[in-house]
Amino acid sequence: MTASPAQDMAGLEMAARPRINVMKPWLGAEEAEAVAAVIASGWVAQGPKVAQFEAEFAAAQNAGFAVATSNCTTALHLALVVAGIKAGDDVVVPSFSFIATANAPTYVGARPVFADVELQTGNVTAGTIAAALTPRTRAVIVVDQGGMPVDLAPIRELCDPLGIAVIEDAACGAGSTYRSLPVGAGAEITAWSFHPRKILTTGEGGMLTTSRGDWAQRAAKLREHAMSASAASRHSAVLAPPEEYTEIGYNFRMTDMQAAVGIVQLGRLAEAVAQRRRIVARYAAALDGTPGLRLSHDPVYGTSNFQSFWLEVLPEFGTTREGLLEHLAARGISARRGIMASHRQPAYTGWDTGVADLSVTDRLTDNTLILPVFHQLTGSEQERVIGAVMTAGKN
Ligand SMILES: *Cc1c(COP(=O)(O)O)cnc(C)c1O
């Protein structure tokens, strides 16, 4: 690539401008005050704030029951345990996802079997799952990728008669809707993430929601060493009853400090999603129709929270995905490659992960890019991003 001196100068001038991140958590004084109050109370581990966060989160997501966990990966692990998945079972998962989706089945000795995704949403469908089913498939993990709701009803129609549990990985999905309800409400069991890369954050943290009381009860027990009486109930009693360990459990607890942040964040969720959708609408107005760019959009059956707003760089665009990333980086704009493909990671080379065609996954992983979207992104910063995308295509 050759650039004229004038272009070089323009590039340098723009690089001197403040950096624009791809994502920033939206946290404020209220979260700090909530944590300070927990510290002042003297009860910092899992206790009353976790219980309150669980109740408020379950109500917000139309879920029967909610069990807070240390992160979404541990919530997925627990989901598989309570669904009865074990060594020798196959679990169909999208390769096109953060690697935790594929790793979770391995924690219970099961095998992840990769399914492809559809081009429009980046999500698995009943068709891509059907193509990956094996005689040993006992569960599928569907993902609301980047907040884009998965089309769950046809997947349940496929899996329910076969006795295959449908677990929803809604790590990125808080605030997205499916058929006018919060995502996750239609699955028997759903896992959520509160990592800062997601919209609702507790630093680290996760949640398992389920429509089944028996699963919720077992998950709540397993997350704290499978103790017969919770630590909270024992510590609040003056004379604690003796406890019993009914099976081998885990320590997957959330702290009350995190839950206090989560309660404040949950109160901000609707506003956070509305602001992200306004930002994405401005990107769409400016960039839709640009030759060689394909933008992600809401599907007909739901709305995305746009935890990640991605676009695909097609051959007609003036440069490749890598070229566009470099062009943006030279102007202080931190975009990101799209979602990874787990089947291409060294962790899974050498594993037998099924025979399904993964060509859409490969195409999306190689050609998509995530643009900056965060609550505090200003109009002029967004103009800088849009301008930089447009000039990249004209090289
Ligand atoms: C972030 C993410 C996870 C992992 O969440 P943690 O809370 O970091 O464990 C799992 N699945 C998907 C799809 C994710 O995006």
Side-chain angles (χ1 to χ4, degrees):
M1 250 202 288
T2 56
S4 70
Q7 278 174 324
D8 276 348
M9 290 301 292
L12 280 175
E13 191 188 307
M14 283 190 266
R17 296 200 209 170
R19 171 184 164 154
I20 301 177
N21 284 346
V22 72
M23 177 68 169
K24 264 185 207 171
W26 181 36
L27 293 158
E30 283 171 294
E31 283 86 346
E33 284 159 20
V35 174
V38 169
I39 292 171
S41 81
W43 192 303
V44 290
Q46 178 184 294
K49 283 293 166 190
V50 167
Q52 184 188 342
F53 185 35
E54 288 171 337
E56 292 185 12
F57 192 82
Q61 307 309 332
N62 275 43
F65 305 90
V67 178
T69 55
S70 47
N71 55 62
C72 178
T73 307
T74 53
L76 285 169
H77 183 167
L78 278 186
L80 290 159
V81 174
V82 300
I85 309 307
K86 54 191 185 323
D89 293 343
D90 284 349
V91 180
V92 171
V93 302
S95 167
F96 188 69
S97 186
F98 181 61
I99 199 160
T101 310
N103 288 347
T106 71
Y107 303 151
V108 297
R111 175 176 76 133
V113 173
F114 292 128
D116 209 7
V117 292
E118 65 174 351
L119 200 58
Q120 290 307 317
T121 60
N123 284 330
V124 291
T125 65
T128 68
I129 289 170
L133 291 181
T134 68
R136 293 178 164 206
T137 304
R138 297 285 174 270
V140 303
I141 302 179
V142 302
V143 178
D144 302 295
Q145 194 49 256
M148 188 63 67
V150 63
D151 193 5
L152 193 73
I155 294 171
R156 292 217 48 184
E157 274 165 37
L158 169 73
C159 294
D160 290 359
L162 300 172
I164 296 172
V166 178
I167 296 167
E168 190 163 343
D169 177 348
C172 306
S176 295
T177 66
Y178 176 64
R179 296 190 174 181
S180 306
L181 287 176
V183 295
E188 275 185 297
I189 193 156
T190 303
W192 309 80
S193 174
F194 307 130
H195 183 273
R197 177 65 184 86
K198 326 296 183 185
I199 297 179
L200 189 171
T201 187
T202 59
E204 291 276 0
M207 193 78 79
L208 178 155
T209 55
T210 174
S211 53
R212 287 185 52 165
D214 55 337
W215 285 4
Q217 233 179 0
R218 179 134 185 262
K221 224 162 131 178
L222 283 171
R223 82 169 150 189
E224 63 172 334
H225 309 288
M227 228 184 279
S228 58
S230 73
S233 69
R234 286 187 308 112
H235 291 309
S236 54
V238 178
L239 177 61
E243 77 276 11
E244 206 180 18
Y245 300 86
T246 50
E247 58 184 314
I248 295 170
Y250 311 90
N251 180 357
F252 288 167
R253 284 179 298 221
M254 177 185 275
T255 69
D256 260 24
M257 294 181 285
Q258 292 168 300
V261 173
I263 291 163
V264 178
Q265 286 270 296
L266 186 60
R268 294 181 188 271
L269 182 61
E271 199 187 332
V273 172
Q275 172 70 349
R276 297 182 77 82
R277 290 181 57 83
R278 279 192 292 271
I279 291 168
V280 167
R282 288 202 296 265
Y283 277 133
L287 297 174
D288 242 341
T290 305
L293 291 184
R294 185 175 68 84
L295 277 52
S296 59
H297 288 283
D298 283 334
V300 291
Y301 52 75
T303 58
S304 177
N305 61 11
F306 290 110
Q307 183 268 347
S308 288
F309 174 62
W310 54 263
L311 47 83
E312 183 182 7
V313 182
L314 299 162
E316 305 91 278
F317 195 64
T319 183
T320 60
R321 189 270 303 270
E322 300 305 313
L324 177 52
L325 277 171
E326 280 167 25
H327 185 89
L328 294 172
R331 285 152 186 79
I333 298 162
S334 185
R336 285 287 180 271
R337 285 179 194 83
I339 310 304
M340 61 179 291
S342 295
H343 75 280
R344 283 160 43 171
Q345 290 300 315
Y348 286 104
T349 52
W351 280 59
D352 174 6
T353 50
V355 295
D357 172 66
L358 300 173
S359 53
V360 177
T361 297
D362 285 327
R363 173 174 159 181
L364 289 173
T365 294
D366 287 337
N367 300 302
T368 57
L369 155 158
I370 294 166
L371 285 183
V373 178
F374 53 89
H375 196 84
Q376 309 87 330
L377 185 71
T378 65
S380 67
E381 285 173 322
Q382 201 181 356
E383 286 306 316
R384 260 176 72 196
V385 179
I386 291 166
V389 173
M390 305 284 257
T391 56
K394 294 200 178 96
N395 275 345

